[in-house]
Amino acid sequence: VMDPITSINPPKDTTFAIMLEAQRRDWEIYVLEQSDLWLLNGTVYARADRVSLHDKSEHWFDITDEIIAELSDFNIILMRKDPPFNTEYIYTTYLLELAEAKGSKVFNKPQSLRDANEKLFAAWFPQCTPPTLVSRNEQQLRDFIETHQD
């Protein structure tokens, strides 16, 4: 589960690197987006594209097949969607948990994605971080930038 494969930057994208290595190990690679998931009568389904990957900056993939399957039919599911961390993202983690309950291995663990949000989790370890402000208040943000110049 990721952002559109057409939008990634292959030389820098860790999701692409993970998929490329999995392909080198002869695993079948399927990509899907959040909008490709749905829940029907307690079962999560997905529309997914099977891809063949190429270690190139241009033309880094080909779609070789399209399937519709129960999400739990996949042996391993990677949740690699970039922010925003919004309601759709949270709902996706709930759908992934249902597949996990039916035996799929889901990385990154859906509950952990909700509980340890990448943007806020560092707040639990202030002794390890630079000065940090999380706010929607424009004046607080401006004052913080003026104080820290970064």
Side-chain angles (χ1 to χ4, degrees):
V1 181
M2 60 183 288
D3 291 310
I5 194 169
T6 56
S7 70
I8 67 171
N9 181 352
K12 294 183 177 183
D13 193 282
T14 55
T15 300
F16 181 73
I18 291 167
M19 293 189 311
L20 199 58
E21 180 58 29
Q23 180 177 272
R24 284 187 187 117
R25 296 174 185 219
D26 293 324
W27 295 8
E28 292 180 11
I29 309 299
Y30 293 86
V31 297
L32 59 129
E33 299 172 36
Q34 291 175 294
S35 60
D36 293 320
L37 296 169
W38 69 93
L39 177 66
L40 178 64
N41 299 324
T43 300
V44 181
Y45 293 89
R47 190 210 62 77
D49 291 324
R50 185 171 180 188
V51 294
S52 173
L53 303 169
H54 317 289
D55 197 2
K56 302 177 182 177
S57 293
E58 295 182 17
H59 190 76
W60 56 90
F61 74 98
D62 289 304
I63 296 173
T64 61
D65 195 13
E66 177 184 308
I67 66 164
I68 294 177
E70 285 189 32
L71 194 60
S72 61
D73 288 344
F74 293 97
N75 295 321
I76 297 172
I77 302 166
L78 299 175
M79 174 55 163
R80 300 292 297 177
K81 171 72 179 88
D82 286 334
F85 185 85
N86 57 15
T87 304
E88 182 182 22
Y89 188 95
I90 292 170
Y91 288 160
T92 298
T93 65
Y94 291 136
L95 295 177
L96 291 171
E97 275 186 324
L98 289 171
E100 188 177 47
K102 289 190 173 187
S104 290
K105 299 204 180 337
V106 181
F107 305 95
N108 297 318
K109 188 169 177 58
Q111 182 179 353
S112 297
L113 290 170
R114 290 190 307 271
D115 293 350
N117 176 269
E118 67 178 319
K119 302 304 181 203
L120 290 176
F121 194 64
W124 274 254
F125 309 97
Q127 72 279 10
C128 299
T129 65
T132 304
L133 170 68
V134 177
S135 176
R136 289 185 67 185
N137 182 288
E138 183 178 346
Q139 190 57 54
Q140 287 177 340
L141 296 169
R142 290 183 185 284
D143 291 347
F144 187 85
I145 291 169
E146 185 176 318
T147 300
H148 298 285
Q149 298 297 306
D150 194 359

